[in-house]
Amino acid sequence: MQEKLVAPSLLAADFANIQRDVEMVNQSEADWFHLDVMDGVFVPNISFGMPVIQAIAKHAKKTLDVHLMIVDPDRYIKTFADLGSDNLTVHYEACTHLHRTLQAIKAEGMKAGVALNPHTSVKLLEDTIQDIDLVCLMSVNPGFGGQSFIENTYQKVSDLKNIIERKNSKALIEIDGGVNATNARKLVDAGADILVAGSFVFKSENPTGTIKNLKETIA
Ligand code: DX5
Ligand code: ZN
């Protein structure tokens, strides 16, 4: 069975101490680094871009899971590959030719992810699920950390899991937004493989311990 993974989101890290926080994740039981790129157009916020990712990549020793909340992401696929991204996730709502975008991401040697906003039905992935390595279900409206978890996500996870099994796809299910100790186990039981956690990890008193507990909760 697929090991259940924890991906701390550096959006909630202390940007003035980014190297310290990257090292914390390196030393912890976390599996991936989740990096949120926002353009102020697709979402009403701007986070960080290439130079910051380059700085993080210099120190990060785990999978770089890059989540693009930007319009027309095709423009930057090669750039993010060159920066060392292992997974590149684009939004369904931001892609006119999703199938082509997925092929372009894979052609650059990365795993191809598709993120769905809370209002977007998982049924819309029926025709592309075999080409997708990772589906990121947004459990908050993208743009900000620290928002509360949308309960309808559990149903979406199990509906998506059914589609994946029915279509014989190997896609993993990632949950992004408002993940904490209360919903983690229930998400994994519904079929989730990867849990992104920003505030819950970085705003806690002992981030390393919080990651360890989260891993134990979903093991
Ligand atoms: C939200 C981002 C998330 C965010 C999660 O738009 O995609 O990755 O960092 O943060 P929390 O865990 O605080 O909801
Ligand atoms: Zn994210």
Side-chain angles (χ1 to χ4, degrees):
M1 208 176 102
Q2 163 71 33
E3 190 201 344
K4 304 302 175 184
L5 310 179
V6 169
S9 166
L10 289 190
L11 187 65
D14 177 357
F15 291 160
N17 286 290
I18 196 75
Q19 184 177 355
R20 182 200 65 190
D21 285 358
V22 169
E23 291 300 348
M24 182 282 291
V25 175
N26 281 340
Q27 306 301 323
S28 77
E29 289 180 34
D31 300 281
W32 293 356
F33 286 87
H34 183 83
L35 305 177
D36 291 301
V37 178
M38 304 177 185
D39 66 355
V41 179
F42 182 71
V43 288
N45 193 14
I46 299 176
S47 55
F48 49 74
M50 291 76 169
V52 173
I53 295 200
Q54 192 171 27
I56 292 170
K58 219 167 81 187
H59 302 287
K61 295 196 175 74
K62 296 177 178 179
T63 295
L64 295 186
D65 180 45
V66 178
H67 175 193
L68 296 183
M69 283 158 273
I70 67 174
V71 296
D72 199 5
D74 299 65
R75 294 171 294 164
Y76 298 110
I77 291 172
K78 189 172 183 329
T79 307
F80 283 101
D82 292 344
L83 284 167
S85 311
D86 298 288
N87 308 335
L88 195 64
T89 295
V90 296
H91 265 264
Y92 179 89
E93 304 84 4
C95 294
T96 311
H97 300 285
L98 181 63
H99 184 271
R100 178 186 291 152
T101 305
L102 295 171
Q103 306 310 321
I105 293 172
K106 291 194 272 193
E108 291 294 340
M110 299 177 286
K111 300 270 189 216
V114 177
L116 299 186
N117 280 339
H119 73 271
T120 304
S121 171
V122 295
K123 295 191 186 93
L124 294 166
L125 296 181
E126 292 243 358
D127 296 299
T128 40
I129 197 70
Q130 279 150 334
D131 302 287
I132 298 174
D133 296 305
L134 173 82
V135 178
C136 175
L137 292 182
M138 292 308 304
S139 37
V140 298
N141 284 297
F144 304 92
Q147 305 180 80
S148 34
F149 180 81
I150 298 173
E151 299 284 325
N152 183 52
T153 309
Y154 300 117
Q155 187 60 49
K156 286 181 85 169
V157 177
S158 45
D159 291 348
L160 175 60
K161 187 78 185 171
N162 281 337
I163 294 173
I164 289 172
E165 283 174 358
R166 182 158 46 80
K167 295 274 185 174
N168 238 329
S169 158
K170 292 196 172 57
L172 299 178
I173 303 177
E174 178 178 65
I175 310 299
D176 189 7
V179 169
N180 57 39
T182 313
N183 51 32
R185 181 74 234 175
K186 207 168 153 194
L187 285 166
V188 162
D189 287 344
D193 301 294
I194 306 125
L195 302 183
V196 173
S199 327
F200 182 64
V201 166
F202 286 100
K203 308 297 180 209
S204 72
E205 234 166 73
N206 173 6
T208 315
T210 302
I211 292 168
K212 188 180 185 342
N213 290 340
L214 207 47
K215 276 294 275 189
E216 278 167 10
T217 308
I218 61 176

